[in-house]
Amino acid sequence: MLIKKIVCIVLTLAVLMSLCGCDLFTMETEQMLVPPALTGDMAPIQEALNKSVNGEYTLTYPSSGEYRSAVLLYDIDGDNAFEAFAFYSQLDGDINYMHLNVISNDGKQWKSVSDQKIAAGGVDCVDFADLNSDGKAEIIVGWEIYGTSEKQLAVYSLENNVISQRLVHEYTSFLCCDLDSNNESELFIHHFNVANSMNSAFLYTLDKDGAVQLSSCAMDKAVRSVATPVLSTLSSGQPAIYIDEVKSIGNITEVLFLEKGTLVNPLLDTETGENTKTLCMSNVSIADINADEIIEIPISEEMLSTVNEEPTKKVFYTKWCSYNGEGLTTQQTTLLNTADGYYLLVPEKWLGNIALTRDTQSRSRTIYAYDVAENTIGAPLAFYTVVSINRWNEFKENNKDIIEISRNSMYVFAGRVYKGESSLSITEQELKGMFFLY
């Protein structure tokens, strides 16, 4: 399947390249056009499309996803011969219709064999997957519905050169995946609508009679926006879907997977309808923070701030946790500086034993020892700052104890350690090793 996708993409790009000389596929083209003829091997596809469409039309590009061309080539039935799928819009009276036109080659010539239309404003996303395990891929199309923020997902099958619609579902995002590890594809649909307090996930497959909903589950009802789902695994290796979401009080991550054939969301509190277990106060997303090929979830834990901080400006550790479906395990703890684009990897001996103060004007941070038993701030341990490159030489001249840690095209990231006999003290080498740009 991977090889097939790669070949499909290469051939699709070839179609795009051949059209670019005629300005047909440029994103600036908005007016209704009669496409000019193509050259070379792609010309018959254009000719077949022109013959099948009455009147003027505009080829339309998917706005997201892996497939971004208005004409896609894909071997949908596994016979080592590609079919062409063209997306175009056409006015019918006052209504704009989107079309999916299937162009097939019978070994002698290309010919349009089927056309589906829907009242829509554009194409959001396209994918291909065999959802009924018959050896033939379905076409999954996300349509941008005209005049609304809602999107509509449609699943089509091609049988005997006739395209038929198998499923229609409102959606925010979708994934073709194998959540039950049976080497068969399922269709995961996430539907979020803040106006209707809708936040749900669904899992579908197909059979000979049509779409079959395998399972569904509720998601956090209090979120305001959602990110694109990420297909990965739990730390146990089981397939899972991770979704970052924004709430009024911070961000959360929800993790969905199959348990005995049922789609579950264990981090959700079923009584409140909310997820507070993965609450993160920083605007960061899930990541493989320690390069172990397992996704970690960022979770905030409040730390002590020095007296220079305003009470409302709390400081948080960001704990990066793996999830096995039952419990969250901290893999790394960091101090994030999202304003300046870096984080500090917190050594084990510092956890619970430090306080931090921030000076936004000088773009600096100072870390102090903290006596838990006495609840007092101790001596400074480390200092980090950000200096523009054109000021760096002067700054270094006036601050002899400052060392350069890293730099980019605009800034030098620098710092110093405060020598002392505290067990919390660190070396300059450790100071550098704790620092990471992101």
Side-chain angles (χ1 to χ4, degrees), residues 46-70:
Q46 179 76 73
E47 183 181 352
L49 180 61
N50 289 343
K51 286 181 178 179
S52 71
V53 180
N54 294 320
E56 297 178 336
Y57 64 90
T58 301
L59 287 165
T60 305
Y61 299 82
S63 58
S64 65
E66 180 180 350
Y67 302 98
R68 296 295 187 95
S69 176

Side-chain angles (χ1 to χ4, degrees), residues 221-233:
K221 66 181 183 181
V223 302
R224 294 185 172 185
S225 62
V226 298
T228 302
V230 175
L231 177 63
S232 186
T233 65

Side-chain angles (χ1 to χ4, degrees), residues 383 385 392 395-396 399-404 414-416:
F383 171 82
T385 192
W392 171 242
F395 184 87
K396 181 69 174 70
N399 297 271
K400 300 292 187 181
D401 55 353
I402 294 291
I403 61 171
E404 179 176 334
R416 64 162 296 188

Side-chain angles (χ1 to χ4, degrees), residues 1-71:
M1 183 63 72
L2 177 60
I3 294 175
K4 185 182 293 185
K5 281 193 173 185
I6 292 172
V7 173
C8 173
I9 293 170
V10 170
L11 289 177
T12 301
L13 287 173
V15 176
L16 180 61
M17 293 292 287
S18 62
L19 287 166
C20 284
C22 301
D23 291 327
L24 175 62
F25 273 65
T26 59
M27 295 302 290
E28 293 79 17
T29 302
E30 297 292 341
Q31 66 270 30
M32 303 299 280
L33 296 174
V34 178
L38 299 179
T39 60
D41 294 338
M42 296 298 118
I45 297 176
Q46 179 76 73
E47 183 181 352
L49 180 61
N50 289 343
K51 286 181 178 179
S52 71
V53 180
N54 294 320
E56 297 178 336
Y57 64 90
T58 301
L59 287 165
T60 305
Y61 299 82
S63 58
S64 65
E66 180 180 350
Y67 302 98
R68 296 295 187 95
S69 176
V71 178

Side-chain angles (χ1 to χ4, degrees), residues 152-342:
Q152 183 171 292
L153 183 70
V155 177
Y156 303 100
S157 292
L158 185 65
E159 293 287 346
N160 299 318
N161 281 337
V162 176
I163 193 168
S164 59
Q165 183 174 280
R166 308 294 302 281
L167 170 68
V168 177
H169 202 293
E170 291 181 327
Y171 82 104
T172 303
S173 55
F174 70 90
L175 283 173
C176 297
C177 53
D178 180 14
L179 282 186
D180 54 8
S181 301
N182 66 349
N183 296 317
E184 298 178 0
S185 294
E186 297 92 41
L187 177 62
F188 173 84
I189 300 174
H190 181 203
H191 183 207
F192 167 73
N193 186 313
V194 66
N196 299 330
S197 297
M198 161 68 75
N199 195 14
S200 301
F202 307 87
L203 197 65
Y204 280 91
T205 187
L206 296 179
D207 64 15
K208 60 182 180 62
D209 297 318
V212 178
Q213 182 177 304
L214 297 176
S215 189
S216 65
C217 70
M219 298 177 66
D220 193 304
K221 66 181 183 181
V223 302
R224 294 185 172 185
S225 62
V226 298
T228 302
V230 175
L231 177 63
S232 186
T233 65
L234 303 174
S235 59
S236 63
Q238 180 178 348
I241 293 172
Y242 294 71
I243 306 177
D244 285 331
E245 301 174 313
V246 177
K247 304 183 72 168
S248 60
I249 56 172
N251 300 345
I252 62 168
T253 302
E254 303 204 70
V255 186
L256 283 59
F257 55 93
L258 281 176
E259 189 174 80
K260 296 181 179 179
T262 299
L263 192 63
V264 295
N265 183 11
L267 295 170
L268 183 73
D269 186 325
T270 55
E271 292 186 5
T272 64
E274 295 192 47
N275 173 356
T276 58
K277 294 179 180 178
T278 61
L279 186 63
C280 183
M281 307 310 295
S282 298
N283 186 24
V284 289
S285 303
I286 54 174
D288 180 7
I289 194 72
N290 56 357
D292 63 353
E293 299 184 354
I294 295 172
I295 280 183
E296 279 81 40
I297 300 169
I299 301 173
S300 291
E301 179 180 289
E302 188 176 348
M303 70 173 290
L304 182 68
S305 173
T306 68
V307 293
N308 293 333
E309 288 287 328
E310 296 178 19
T312 56
K313 293 183 178 179
K314 297 180 179 179
V315 179
F316 295 90
Y317 292 113
T318 300
K319 300 168 62 178
W320 295 88
C321 301
S322 61
Y323 184 54
N324 64 3
E326 297 180 356
L328 293 156
T329 303
T330 302
Q331 300 297 329
Q332 287 187 358
T333 302
T334 60
L335 290 172
L336 296 176
N337 184 340
T338 54
D340 291 319
Y342 70 84

